[in-house]
Structure formats: structure tokens, C-alpha cells
């Protein structure tokens, strides 16, 4: 099936890029409106450093309710970890070349995070996310306690499909965020915070 995913990645990477200008501002607005209420008190929001074509949600760090409550992924030692981050904190390229917080002492435990966001090239309604093929989020989320943290794929609605090929190691996401709002698969919606 991995052979099927290569052409799909190319197709959806181009589709996402074509939709980016029209969808990104609306998707950012939905994130600002809905995500703070999904984050449990005292927990951090796991964002991502946006690559070209991905919706930039780092603006969430500027919200007073999320100040000091942002974490970014870092690939170090061959695994994905989250590190605390604030705007202006130093970053350095991680093992995949993506900017990440450079303070290795700020590595977080799963229990410190309350919601994870992962960019997607495409997403299907059974929770399968098509990423770039590194498998970092799947390996992180395959075991408890990471599996127990609510996680949303970030995708434009034009890249939602009925079915994507899935590998045995794919860990379905409980929901997704698009320019229409937050959507949960049946029975997987966490309780919103007051």
C-alpha cells in the first residue's frame, strides 16, 4: 500500500497548495475560535512548525488563554518529542531539518499535553491521515499515554476523502480541523473545557 501513497502524496500536496490561499485564513479563524476550549486546564497544545502549504497555527501562541501553553515537535534521537515553546524562543533544525525548540531540557511528558495537532496532506473519515511518510506521529501515538491524548489532523476540506489506503502501523486520529470547524469521529469527542 505504501506504493499507492506516493502518488497520492503528490496529488494532495498540489491540491493543498492550490487551496491554501483561500482556506488558510478561515482555518486559522476556526482554530482560534474552537481550540482553546478543547485544551484542559494546565495542559499544553501540541502544534507544528508549518512547512510550505501547511496552515500556520503558531498565531495561537498569541492568544492570552494559550500564553505559555504551546509545545512544538522535535525529532531527536530518532523519535518525535514535544518541547515547550513561546514566540521568540530559539529554534534549530531537528533531525528532519524542520525548525524546533532548541532547548533539550524543555522535553515534555505526554501527561503535560492536552491536545495534539498534526498537518495532513489528506484525511479520511475513518481517521487515516496522509502525511509525508515519516511515520513520526503514528509511532508516537501507537502507545499509551500518547494514544490517549486527543489529536486532530489539520486539513482543508478539499483534501477530505472517503477512503485512504492504510498501513498496519497507521494510528487513526479521532478528528480533524478544517475551515468549517472541528469535527470528531463518532463517539470520540472530548468534553469541552469551561
Amino acid at each position: 500500500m505504501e506504493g499507492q501513497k506516493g502518488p497520492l502524496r503528490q496529488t494532495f500536496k498540489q491540491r493543498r497548495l492550490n487551496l491554501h490561499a483561500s482556506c488558510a485564513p478561515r482555518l486559522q479563524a476556526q482554530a482560534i475560535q474552537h481550540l482553546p476550549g478543547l485544551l484542559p486546564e494546565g495542559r499544553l497544545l501540541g502544534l507544528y512548525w508549518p512547512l510550505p502549504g501547511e496552515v500556520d497555527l503558531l498565531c495561537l501562541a498569541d492568544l492570552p488563554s494559550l500564553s505559555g501553553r504551546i509545545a512544538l515537535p522535535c525529532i531527536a534521537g530518532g523519535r518525535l518529542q514535544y518541547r515547550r515553546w513561546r514566540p521568540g524562543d530559539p529554534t534549530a533544525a531537528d533531525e528532519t531539518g524542520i525548525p524546533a525548540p532548541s532547548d533539550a531540557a524543555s522535553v515534555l511528558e505526554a501527561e503535560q499535553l492536552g491536545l495534539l495537532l498534526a498537518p495532513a496532506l489528506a484525511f479520511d473519515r475513518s481517521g487515516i491521515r496522509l502525511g509525508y511518510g515519516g511515520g513520526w506521529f503514528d509511532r508516537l501515538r501507537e502507545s499509551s499515554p500518547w494514544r490517549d491524548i486527543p489529536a486532530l489532523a489539520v486539513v482543508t476540506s478539499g483534501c477530505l476523502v472517503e477512503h485512504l489506503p492504510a498501513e498496519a502501523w497507521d494510528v487513526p486520529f479521532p478528528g480533524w480541523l478544517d475551515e468549517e470547524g472541528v469535527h470528531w469521529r463518532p463517539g470520540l469527542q472530548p468534553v469541552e473545557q469551561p
Side-chain angles (χ1 to χ4, degrees), residues 74-138:
C74 178
I75 308 302
R79 66 182 191 91
L80 188 154
Q81 55 185 230
Y82 279 90
R83 295 177 179 180
R84 189 180 293 269
W85 177 82
R86 291 177 186 260
D89 284 355
T91 60
D94 69 5
E95 292 175 7
T96 62
I98 298 173
S102 54
D103 181 8
S106 67
V107 174
L108 301 164
E109 298 296 325
E111 295 80 9
Q112 293 176 271
L113 286 113
L115 179 65
L116 304 177
L117 301 179
L121 293 169
F123 190 76
D124 76 15
R125 296 184 191 282
S126 68
I128 299 300
R129 171 188 161 268
L130 182 67
Y132 289 105
W136 300 109
F137 287 102
D138 290 317

